[in-house]
Amino acid sequence: GAGVSQSPSNKVTEKGKDVELRCDPISGHTALYWYRQSLGQGLEFLIYFQGNSAPDKSGLPSDRFSAERTGGSVSTLTIQRTQQEDSAVYLCASSKIFGPPGLAGRITGELFFGEGSRLTVL
Amino acid sequence: AQRVTQPEKLLSVFKGAPVELKCNYSYSGSPELFWYVQYSRQRLQLLLRHISRESIKGFTADLNKGETSFHLKKPFAQEEDSAMYYCALMYSSASKIIFGSGTRLSIRP
């Protein structure tokens, strides 16, 4: 597609339920990032995937959060047993990489963001 | 620990006045710094990066390694500059990018 696509755009769920958020990056972008945007907290790094390398999960706030990227393209962020403090906009971004995608190449630094998935936990 | 600090949550200036959005970083390596902008009802997008040393929409930013700062400046603010601005740091050792908490810039007519 023309840009990063995220779904759903809005999700309202009850506390304790699991949710899945999907990100479809720009074709050819081998780096993919998830961020959480909440009022007063700015843009919080969650996880990033780069080619075939192991993902950097250092920003995931708890073990209720997980993400996977299948086939080097689409990514799913899963939040289990949602809590009210999980309410936020979840942003996905993708970027190109210099060098072989299977190795530790560098990204260009320009992230292309999706419109986000707004999660509300009641 | 690596960190990006934007001390102002909100900055309000009159049209035509100079603007400076502050950004300080903490990083032991050689950083690459960026400013991203989010206009109302639009996606977050790259505004400028320090290695390009360019002016975008009249905005410039200079990396000051001594003060570990990367402030965004514009000599004459326009109403269309009203937006949320985020400073970002890319690690030299990897492709991880972290952002500051953002500054909302409001330009008064």
Side-chain angles (χ1 to χ4, degrees), chain A residues 76-97:
Chain A
T76 301
L77 177 68
T78 301
I79 309 173
Q80 295 178 308
R81 306 181 301 282
T82 52
Q83 304 295 312
Q84 288 182 333
E85 60 263 27
D86 299 335
S87 296
V89 176
Y90 290 82
L91 291 174
C92 175
S94 69
S95 184
K96 293 181 184 179
I97 290 183

Side-chain angles (χ1 to χ4, degrees), chain A residues 55-120:
Chain A
D56 181 333
K57 305 180 181 180
S58 59
L60 294 178
S62 77
D63 58 9
R64 295 187 296 104
F65 288 72
S66 63
E68 63 177 22
R69 189 175 184 192
T70 54
S73 182
V74 171
S75 177
T76 301
L77 177 68
T78 301
I79 309 173
Q80 295 178 308
R81 306 181 301 282
T82 52
Q83 304 295 312
Q84 288 182 333
E85 60 263 27
D86 299 335
S87 296
V89 176
Y90 290 82
L91 291 174
C92 175
S94 69
S95 184
K96 293 181 184 179
I97 290 183
F98 291 119
L103 302 176
R106 298 287 321 280
I107 68 163
T108 64
E110 180 170 10
L111 298 183
F112 292 83
F113 282 85
E115 292 184 320
S117 292
R118 181 177 296 278
L119 175 65
T120 303

Side-chain angles (χ1 to χ4, degrees), chain A residues 91 114-115, chain B residues 37-45 57:
Chain A
L91 291 174
E115 292 184 320
Chain B
V37 61
Q38 189 169 28
Y39 301 102
S40 179
R41 290 184 292 278
Q42 293 189 27
R43 302 180 185 211
L44 192 59
Q45 60 187 286
K57 299 184 178 183

Side-chain angles (χ1 to χ4, degrees), chain A residues 3-5 33 35 37 40-43 45 48 50 56 58 91 105-111 113-115, chain B residues 9 32 34 36 38 43-46 49 51 84 86 90-102:
Chain A
V4 177
S5 177
Y33 298 73
Y35 292 89
Q37 185 180 38
Q41 300 298 318
L43 216 57
F45 168 81
Y48 94 90
Q50 181 171 320
D56 181 333
S58 59
L91 291 174
R106 298 287 321 280
I107 68 163
T108 64
E110 180 170 10
L111 298 183
F113 282 85
E115 292 184 320
Chain B
K9 288 190 185 304
E32 289 189 45
F34 308 82
Y36 278 76
Q38 189 169 28
R43 302 180 185 211
L44 192 59
Q45 60 187 286
L46 178 67
R49 64 190 85 189
I51 57 172
M84 192 75 178
Y86 292 94
M90 184 166 77
Y91 293 22
S92 60
S93 57
S95 295
K96 182 174 177 177
I97 297 182
I98 60 172
F99 287 78
S101 55

